[in-house]
Amino acid sequence: MLRVGSTVLGVSDVRRAVEFWGRAIGYVPRDKEIDETWVVLVPADGVGQNISLMRSDTPVQERPRVHLDLYASEPDREIDRLIELGASRVDWPDYPPNADFTVLADTEGNRFCVIDKSA
């Protein structure tokens, strides 16, 4: 049987990405030393999937085939907090009517969505 162990994000600056994602979702590096090319982030509370950050020279995809969905019961507050941490809004032309998500980019340009789970 297989299970998802980690989602891997390509980044140009591993340390900057560790700082952003650590503060954004409360994850911490699994290992004491941060490698400049690879780090596995784990939930500080031990609950949830790992996120790995891999140094990559590949350009950011404007329409990535894989991305993170972050669920929020107070999405507007979380979006403001993420922007304060360095995320940015993405001008997404394909929002459906009554969209329950907002597209953002992390400090590396990787797209992710904040999903409104308040209902």
Side-chain angles (χ1 to χ4, degrees):
M1 181 172 158
L2 297 174
R3 67 179 179 87
V4 175
S6 191
T7 298
V8 181
L9 300 177
V11 301
S12 59
D13 185 326
V14 171
R15 289 188 184 277
R16 179 175 59 195
V18 166
E19 175 70 19
F20 174 78
W21 286 108
R23 293 179 66 201
I25 59 174
Y27 276 40
V28 297
R30 178 189 63 192
D31 302 320
K32 291 181 183 179
E33 303 236 357
I34 294 175
D35 185 305
E36 297 296 325
T37 62
W38 175 263
V39 67
V40 177
L41 298 177
V42 298
D45 65 5
V47 178
Q49 174 183 311
N50 298 337
I51 294 176
S52 297
L53 305 170
M54 174 184 67
R55 189 168 65 205
S56 173
D57 295 328
T58 304
V60 172
Q61 293 177 322
E62 287 189 34
R63 301 185 69 77
R65 295 179 70 171
V66 176
H67 65 273
L68 298 176
D69 281 350
L70 305 179
Y71 290 5
S73 57
E74 297 180 51
D76 292 335
R77 190 180 91 173
E78 290 296 337
I79 289 166
D80 290 343
R81 185 179 71 81
L82 291 164
I83 289 171
E84 286 178 20
L85 294 175
S88 57
R89 287 184 183 271
V90 173
D91 184 18
W92 196 255
D94 297 325
Y95 282 112
N98 302 316
D100 67 346
F101 66 96
T102 300
V103 181
L104 299 177
D106 69 7
T107 55
E108 299 293 314
N110 293 307
R111 288 4 182 208
F112 65 96
C113 294
V114 175
I115 310 297
D116 183 352
K117 296 306 274 185
S118 62

